[in-house]
Amino acid sequence: MVRKGVRFAPQGPVDERESGRAPGFENIPAIVAAAASLRAVRAEAAQEAARLRELTDRIRTRVPELVPDVEVVGDAERRLPGTVTFSCLYVDGEALLHELDREGFSVSSGSSCTSSTLTPSHVLKAMGVLSEGNVRVSLPPGTEAADVDRFLRVLPGVVAGVREKLGAPVPSAAAEGTSWSWTRWANCARSR
């Protein structure tokens, strides 16, 4: 509505409707182009999600094989395609993040809800998993398989180095029957 006597300048293209006060007809070619673009982006996103899921599956499978005393967190199927979380026994999460950062990997500790704080993740506690010594790897679109392979090559040495600095038990000794098992240590850590 425009009151009589008010100067009116249309903001876009006009036609003969409403004395030039109504915009022109819908831009059908632009609408069709936008729909086609959306279809293409969604198809590309689905392909990228499948590719990232394969890479995170590789991490989920290989990390427990390469690093002793590690628990992969979360459901293997019902999860985001480019995210994997694991907890390392006898490791401080922040120390592990710093060492991985030195190697060129940007990872997070805890849940994304608490990534900006040093408090243990309430989300991980609610899931019943160890909330300290936790690493969350998020693979952005375009991550190469070579990057994942390098991460898997570097991780065992980084975890071993952090454990050594903290004076943690040697994993082989823990496996030979010491009284500290994953479950007992995790239960102690949870009760803190």
Side-chain angles (χ1 to χ4, degrees):
M1 301 285 297
V2 178
R3 190 175 63 213
K4 284 187 177 187
V6 173
R7 292 186 182 168
F8 177 78
Q11 300 299 310
V14 296
D15 61 13
E16 68 281 350
R17 296 177 296 151
E18 300 294 325
S19 301
R21 291 192 177 129
F25 293 100
E26 290 77 14
N27 185 348
I28 301 299
I31 293 169
V32 171
S37 175
L38 179 60
R39 273 191 226 105
V41 166
R42 289 190 67 178
E44 185 178 308
Q47 289 174 346
E48 183 66 4
R51 194 182 71 77
L52 289 176
R53 186 171 292 279
E54 288 177 15
L55 292 176
T56 53
D57 285 345
R58 187 182 311 172
I59 295 171
R60 285 182 67 83
T61 303
R62 296 287 294 147
V63 166
E65 295 170 357
L66 297 170
V67 181
D69 297 323
V70 168
E71 176 186 27
V72 178
V73 177
D75 192 89
E77 297 299 319
R78 296 179 303 163
R79 60 181 170 79
L80 294 173
T83 305
V84 62
T85 302
F86 54 90
S87 296
C88 301
L89 190 61
Y90 312 121
V91 172
D92 174 61
E94 290 301 311
L96 187 55
L97 294 187
H98 291 297
E99 293 303 318
L100 286 169
D101 185 55
R102 287 184 186 158
E103 294 291 336
F105 296 102
S106 179
V107 296
S108 303
S109 182
S111 67
S112 60
C113 307
T114 59
S115 63
S116 62
T117 69
L118 293 176
T119 59
S121 167
H122 63 281
V123 173
L124 294 173
K125 282 184 178 181
M127 291 173 63
V129 298
L130 186 64
S131 60
E132 296 175 19
N134 187 275
V135 176
R136 187 179 70 253
V137 179
S138 300
L139 304 178
T143 300
E144 299 292 330
D147 296 329
V148 170
D149 292 338
R150 189 168 93 70
F151 176 78
L152 292 171
R153 278 194 311 275
V154 167
L155 183 66
V158 169
V159 172
V162 170
R163 285 176 174 163
E164 184 179 334
K165 285 179 186 175
L166 295 174
V170 177
S172 61
E176 291 172 6
T178 61
S179 62
W180 282 98
S181 68
W182 170 264
T183 305
R184 289 184 76 189
W185 194 87
N187 287 337
C188 276
R190 284 186 198 117
S191 64
R192 281 194 242 163

